[in-house]
Amino acid sequence: MSGAFDDLLAANRRFAENFALSGFDGVAHAGVAIVTCMDSRIDPLRLVGLEPGDAKIFRNPGGRVTDAALEALVLGVHLLNVERVLVVPHTRCAMATNTEEELRARVAESTGTDVSWHRFHVIDDQVAALGEDVRRVRTHPLVPDRVAVGGFLYDVDTGLLTQHL
Ligand SMILES: [Zn+2]
């Protein structure tokens, strides 16, 4: 284990030399929360012109509004200045382009063990799932009507965000 993180710790020391966020509060200064995929092609802040301090970011495979995402959004809306919520799945997402069986087969190949017991929550219809997810936020009893909730698709090849809802 020792050594595995050396490059990152060295980079962190350089980062801390010019650290400008000291004493900064934890609210979302632009009033924005973004739920998006863990995909490394997505830079959720910069793709909407924001910077650290501006937004709450919640990520998971597929960018789904899970119970944990709702928990984060309720806290964001009531305690952290969130007024706008963007739900942002993306094109060429592994969660939407593989079936459950395909993902299991790929992970099984990597682990060399049976993974049939594990569920990956693949997405059959990305636009339908987005509608469901936006509705989950909008109709949540602890998310007031003053909060704007939008559903978008991010194109990882063009960098463009398209609003669907
Ligand atoms: Zn994805």
Side-chain angles (χ1 to χ4, degrees):
M1 186 163 124
S2 98
F5 303 101
D6 286 355
D7 57 332
L8 301 176
L9 286 169
N12 172 256
R13 283 187 280 275
R14 290 192 296 276
F15 170 76
E17 277 168 21
N18 299 305
F19 190 59
L21 299 173
S22 184
F24 200 52
D25 61 36
V27 306
H29 282 259
V32 170
I34 301 173
V35 178
T36 192
C37 185
M38 65 193 271
D39 195 293
S40 52
R41 292 169 288 191
I42 301 171
D43 185 342
L45 285 174
R46 287 206 303 162
L47 77 86
V48 284
L50 299 180
E51 292 176 0
D54 284 341
K56 296 289 156 193
I57 310 291
F58 189 93
R59 305 185 74 157
N60 59 28
R64 299 303 310 274
V65 175
T66 58
D67 288 348
L70 284 168
E71 188 180 308
L73 292 175
V74 168
L75 289 171
V77 163
H78 291 284
L79 306 181
L80 302 164
N81 197 43
V82 170
E83 296 163 337
R84 290 181 289 172
V85 175
L86 294 84
V87 183
V88 186
H90 66 98
T91 59
R92 298 205 281 124
C93 183
M95 300 306 289
T97 55
N98 289 276
T99 63
E100 192 78 30
E101 291 67 34
E102 283 165 345
L103 270 189
R104 279 185 183 145
R106 290 172 63 184
V107 176
E109 200 180 306
S110 172
T111 63
T113 60
D114 172 48
V115 298
S116 60
W117 54 273
H118 198 286
R119 209 176 146 211
F120 292 101
H121 299 93
V122 297
I123 303 156
D124 289 332
D125 179 336
Q126 222 175 10
V127 174
L130 179 59
E132 203 177 290
D133 283 353
V134 166
R135 201 159 40 246
R136 277 198 92 189
V137 183
R138 284 185 182 155
T139 60
H140 193 284
L142 299 178
V143 175
D145 291 342
R146 64 176 160 80
V147 176
V149 184
F152 307 79
L153 191 66
Y154 178 67
D155 188 325
V156 293
D157 294 303
T158 65
L160 284 172
L161 205 54
T162 305
Q163 185 161 13
H164 283 257
L165 295 148

